[in-house]
Amino acid sequence: LDLNDSEFREEFSSFVEVMKTKENVKKIMGQLQRLAPALYEALVSERDAYMAAGLNGLDDLETIVAVMGIAHVDGVEQNLKLNGWEAVSPTCAINRL
């Protein structure tokens, strides 16, 4: 395996871009949950609950910004909804360079 090979790097870059879509991440997480439920619980579910509990403890703040991997977004949102949080639409646009 030659990591400096331009063909390999291009193919790998393309693979990474495909993997970054929310739909594909959901499919992969669903497969992981089905094939290795204990691993999914340890790597995803427990961490989702932990992050949501941390955010839930910040309820005295007016605004909270959380950054997390795409595989955790849905689980953290579900955990927060169980604690009475409501989804809101963003009020600002992000410009990418």
Side-chain angles (χ1 to χ4, degrees):
L1 178 66
D2 181 4
L3 298 179
N4 293 318
D5 178 50
S6 63
E7 185 177 330
F8 169 80
R9 287 176 30 193
E10 185 177 321
E11 187 175 324
F12 186 73
S13 178
S14 177
F15 172 77
V16 169
E17 289 305 312
V18 168
M19 294 303 299
K20 291 191 314 189
T21 66
K22 192 170 186 176
E23 181 181 315
N24 288 337
V25 171
K26 281 184 175 186
K27 288 178 184 176
I28 292 167
M29 290 298 104
Q31 288 288 60
L32 179 61
Q33 187 176 20
R34 186 176 67 78
L35 297 172
L39 184 61
Y40 179 86
E41 181 68 24
L43 293 179
V44 182
S45 294
E46 289 178 9
R47 296 172 87 188
D48 292 350
Y50 182 80
M51 287 187 274
L55 291 169
N56 198 48
L58 302 173
D59 59 353
D60 57 330
L61 300 174
E62 185 177 325
T63 302
I64 301 169
V65 175
V67 179
M68 66 191 72
I70 194 170
H72 293 286
V73 173
D74 289 339
V76 171
E77 285 180 351
Q78 289 172 357
N79 278 281
L80 290 173
K81 284 179 183 177
L82 292 174
N83 287 307
W85 288 51
E86 295 178 17
V88 296
S89 297
T91 57
C92 65
I94 298 173
N95 294 320
R96 293 184 177 219
L97 298 177

